[in-house]
Amino acid sequence: SSINTYIGFDFGTKKVGVAKANQLTQQASPLDTIHYQSEQQLWQSISNIIDEWKPNELILGIPVHMDEKIQPITKLALAFSESLKTQFNLPIHHIDERLISIEAKGIIKQQRQAGKKKKTKKGDIDKIAACLILQQWLNE
């Protein structure tokens, strides 16, 4: 009886935040922010992560805006979801990430104020957003 592992993604056109969790702890933690110039680079990085962690399921934040309109980024995120499914043949769950990035920014701000990280790198926000997406799914 192996323990299920989950990988969460926060999709962006230049970077993708990645987080991981498992069934046992039910606690998501930030894993990486993939900065990419090409599709090939992105998929190579994701492949490496999938090979290393061997997740059972994938969780992806889909940005839907307050007025429910489909945004260009939403279409791209859905296309990314389809590619994930095709390439890795794993179940994918979508989380509405409307408020996630605001929350991620808030967490980083708190960390800065607490003096934990004097310099929060821009990439941290994507990892943290992926972490929040995954945690939201675990909590549901």
Side-chain angles (χ1 to χ4, degrees):
S1 59
S2 62
I3 296 156
N4 282 358
T5 302
Y6 313 111
I7 296 283
F9 295 99
D10 174 48
F11 175 78
T13 51
K14 293 189 179 70
K15 21 186 227 278
V16 172
V18 188
K20 64 176 170 57
N22 72 48
Q23 209 180 353
L24 204 63
T25 62
Q26 295 284 309
Q27 196 67 50
S29 58
L31 190 58
D32 196 11
T33 297
I34 301 166
H35 297 261
Y36 65 100
Q37 263 84 50
S38 69
E39 293 270 310
Q40 197 186 347
Q41 198 183 357
L42 173 63
W43 291 108
Q44 188 53 63
S45 302
I46 291 174
S47 255
N48 295 343
I49 289 166
I50 303 270
D51 288 346
E52 184 180 350
W53 296 99
K54 301 186 174 29
N56 304 81
E57 300 178 58
L58 307 175
I59 294 81
L60 174 63
I62 301 285
V64 182
H65 285 254
M66 297 299 179
D67 57 6
E68 298 297 335
K69 276 214 253 338
I70 295 274
Q71 306 290 324
I73 186 73
T74 309
K75 290 197 176 110
L76 290 169
L78 290 167
F80 176 70
S81 176
E82 281 306 310
S83 301
L84 277 173
K85 210 179 287 179
T86 311
Q87 297 216 30
F88 304 109
N89 197 23
L90 291 165
I92 297 185
H93 309 277
H94 292 170
I95 283 284
D96 177 1
E97 65 160 43
R98 269 182 279 207
L99 302 168
I100 294 281
S101 60
I102 300 164
E103 200 182 331
K105 287 187 179 111
I107 287 173
I108 282 181
K109 205 170 152 187
Q110 282 170 353
Q111 285 182 352
R112 278 200 185 127
Q113 283 162 352
K116 274 192 192 132
K117 282 192 178 162
K118 286 291 178 280
K119 282 174 113 167
T120 309
K121 292 192 291 299
K122 273 206 182 103
D124 289 354
I125 208 155
D126 304 273
K127 280 195 291 210
I128 290 172
C131 191
L132 294 169
I133 287 163
L134 186 47
Q135 194 61 54
Q136 189 178 321
W137 180 77
L138 290 164
N139 295 349
E140 284 172 11

